[in-house]
Amino acid sequence: MANLFRRLIAPAAPSIQRDTVRLRLDDAEIDVLRVRDPRARRLKLSVDERGARLTMPLRASLVSGERFLQANRQWLQQQLARFDGDGLLAPALALREPGVLPLRGALLPVRWQEGRFTRIEVDAEGACIQLPARAGEASLRRVLREFYEAQMRADTGRWLPAYLAGLPRAPARLRLKVMSSQWGSLAPDGSMALDLALALARPAAFEYVLVHELCHLLQANHSPAFWAEVEARFPHWRQERDYLREEGRRLKATLRQLLANP
């Protein structure tokens, strides 16, 4: 009872605080999302397709945050330029307009077709997206997600049998979802999760992530013994890991763009 009473009167844990700060770069002013996070241990500046973000520990002063921004202005401008001018993202797919569909490391030309059902098919000419006449953006985003999930399940089903020998068991189940930073995970119950953005990556990178997570059935860590298991099954894993480090942010951002309603 005493422990319960102490929990009831204990102060609430600090919450994450968000606001924006204006920063002048050489050719423009931008808004930087400022996040004061109780979990943060240091000042951190990051950039994605949504803009710039400054993460600060609760104990850090606003002045220290502003100095950190000023000290990293050149780096910030370079990173923002990558998103604005260097084609980091594939062109957005607009409803019933010419475009491309990213898949397995390639960009497939898209053609549109009216039909009773919503579906996407891939052939020698590219990707054909069939939609009913009254289908809107929500239908398009839904069929895109279903398409990528189906492609990933087909690839996984093709690769998995070759890697099951020597494993204590197969994964209990497979979940496909949009992941912010990870490419995959393996839960204690043996269920595996894979990032849906892997459907956009080159197949060898996707296969590497699958092998990586399967090896966690043998070693639930990233010890030398774990990497030895990966090496034995997928000798060129380093190249695919480097590819995901270089291209991962673009792949994840492209997927978010494809699945988001404009």
Side-chain angles (χ1 to χ4, degrees), residues 66-213:
E66 291 173 2
R67 288 175 178 168
F68 188 77
L69 281 175
Q70 292 296 332
N72 290 279
R73 284 171 67 251
Q74 184 176 1
W75 177 88
L76 181 59
Q77 188 153 359
Q78 292 171 347
Q79 297 302 309
L80 289 170
R82 289 188 64 205
F83 283 89
D84 292 339
D86 292 346
L88 183 66
L89 301 184
L93 185 61
L95 184 65
R96 296 186 179 87
E97 299 206 2
V100 293
L101 182 69
L103 180 68
R104 298 190 179 95
L107 297 175
L108 306 182
V110 168
R111 64 186 190 276
W112 302 88
Q113 187 177 87
E114 186 176 321
R116 292 179 59 193
F117 305 104
T118 304
R119 63 185 179 187
I120 300 177
E121 295 181 344
V122 174
D123 54 29
E125 299 178 20
C128 178
I129 303 180
Q130 178 178 294
L131 294 171
R134 296 185 179 181
E137 290 286 353
S139 297
L140 173 60
R141 307 307 156 183
R142 183 175 62 254
V143 74
L144 283 170
R145 183 168 190 133
E146 292 171 351
F147 170 76
Y148 283 131
E149 288 179 353
Q151 296 297 308
M152 286 187 66
R153 290 191 184 279
D155 287 345
T156 302
R158 187 170 66 255
W159 295 326
L160 186 59
Y163 295 111
L164 290 180
L167 296 178
R169 61 189 186 282
R173 65 189 179 104
L174 175 62
R175 293 184 298 126
L176 304 173
K177 60 181 184 176
V178 178
M179 305 175 79
S180 59
S181 57
Q182 292 179 297
W183 291 105
S185 64
L186 188 75
D189 67 357
S191 61
M192 180 187 295
L194 295 175
D195 184 13
L196 198 59
L198 287 167
L200 281 58
R202 67 189 188 193
F206 178 9
E207 189 174 359
Y208 155 64
V209 174
L210 175 65
V211 173
H212 183 117
E213 298 308 327

Side-chain angles (χ1 to χ4, degrees), residues 22-35:
R22 199 79 172 152
L23 178 66
R24 179 70 187 180
L25 299 178
D26 291 343
D27 53 358
E29 285 191 348
I30 64 166
D31 287 325
V32 178
L33 176 64
R34 181 167 53 193
V35 180

